[in-house]
Amino acid sequence: MKKLYFLPAALLSTLLFSCGGSENNTVQQEQTVVQEKKKDAIREKALLMFAVLPDKAENPKNPLSEAKITLGKTLYFDTRLSKDGKNSCNSCHNLSTFGVDNLPTSPGDLGKNGTRNSPTVFNAALHSVQFWDGRAKDVEEQAGGPILNHIEMNMPSEAALVARLKGVKGYEDLFKAAFPDSKEPISFQNITLAIAAFERKLLSPSKFDKYLAGEDVYSELERKGLETFMNAGCMACHKGALIGGDMYQKFQHNGKDKGRFEVTKNENDMYMFKVPSLRNAEKTYPYFHDGSVAKLEEAVKIMGKSQLNKDLSDTEISEIVTFLNTLTGEIPEEYKKAPTMPQ
């Protein structure tokens, strides 16, 4: 009779577990490879449509200097740039709240509100044009507009502001340092150049830039949000380093504001508005040119239907918002604090 040999239960269990474990490890390794390939594919697709935010926003016609930036920041916070001294640039574009005042429309020097939402000043220097209707080509041209606008800062003329600042002794040295080659350092043009120089420093890189640069900083949910954003077609308008800010699109929201048509009187520009950058969108509510939508989720839903003709599901909207939140940058404390005003 043949003898029967029995393996101890513990040894048998170990052998069976080892065999099964080996198979499980192989499956896990294969799944990991698939997941990594998908992660790489999402980033590669993103790199085709987006770009890391530049670390500079320079204009050769307005070279930056520390003296000019210092003057620009001082002017940006100075309420004496408004007729009755009630408003500064920072009133509507508050640097402590991501360059906006979080109001649908902003009250001006006389307490009256404008008709359009005040867009964020952060990263604005990189936009292709300024204002919702593109009526200024750059921040240098934009800087003077609100000062003379009767609803906004309401200064009666360029000369009136120049005369006022010439009466402030402390400004004399600041302007001379910023514009050492100017025969008349305190001029309206130099005021706008200085403010623009400061605004060209207001850049807000975010987690998205680290992701594009190759850092593994995104969670699975954030990657999914980016993927949904791209697959939905949002990147057709919201692309590049600013995720927008470089084209016009028709948007007949509420139908009252005729957009760029009010500047050009060209029928082709009816209801055309500059596509806003989505950087810091989480913090720059309310949304659209009229500030009529308070929630980012609602804004995404409206844009999906009006611009893409898609009824985005609640899940898709939530995923897109998760991605948009990664576009929120960090605002250096040095920008938030108002300087000592010259006397």
Side-chain angles (χ1 to χ4, degrees), residues 178-299:
F179 300 98
D181 299 326
S182 293
K183 292 182 179 180
E184 290 289 341
I186 302 180
S187 68
F188 191 79
Q189 181 183 39
N190 286 348
I191 290 168
T192 62
L193 290 176
I195 293 173
F198 173 60
E199 290 181 347
R200 288 187 176 278
K201 297 293 290 183
L202 301 178
L203 305 179
S204 61
S206 70
K207 190 175 187 179
F208 184 53
D209 299 291
K210 295 179 180 179
Y211 170 80
L212 290 179
E215 294 186 40
D216 190 18
V217 294
Y218 264 12
S219 68
E220 184 177 347
L221 290 176
E222 289 166 339
R223 277 193 304 274
K224 178 60 178 174
L226 170 59
E227 184 180 27
T228 301
F229 181 88
M230 293 189 293
N231 289 344
C234 304
M235 62 182 183
C237 299
H238 296 283
K239 55 184 177 58
L242 298 175
I243 309 95
D246 65 352
M247 68 168 68
Y248 297 104
Q249 282 292 341
K250 188 172 185 177
F251 185 49
Q252 196 171 344
H253 183 63
N254 291 337
K256 298 177 182 178
D257 192 329
K258 296 178 181 179
R260 185 156 173 74
F261 171 81
E262 297 182 7
V263 177
T264 67
K265 305 307 178 185
N266 185 334
E267 290 293 332
N268 293 328
D269 289 330
M270 187 71 74
Y271 303 117
M272 298 291 282
F273 294 90
K274 182 183 71 173
V275 174
S277 165
L278 294 182
R279 285 186 176 274
N280 300 312
E282 174 192 13
K283 302 293 186 179
T284 55
Y285 55 87
Y287 303 102
F288 305 150
H289 57 273
D290 57 359
S292 60
V293 174
K295 299 293 184 181
L296 187 53
E297 290 81 359
E298 181 66 15

Side-chain angles (χ1 to χ4, degrees), residues 145-163:
I147 294 173
L148 301 178
N149 185 288
H150 70 284
I151 295 295
E152 297 180 65
M153 300 172 85
N154 198 33
M155 285 300 298
S157 67
E158 296 178 6
L161 177 58
V162 170

Side-chain angles (χ1 to χ4, degrees), residues 73 77 95-96 122 330-338:
K73 181 180 180 181
F77 279 90
L95 301 186
S96 294
F122 281 101
E330 296 182 5
I331 309 303
E333 289 298 321
E334 64 183 283
Y335 294 154
K336 301 177 184 180
K337 186 177 179 181

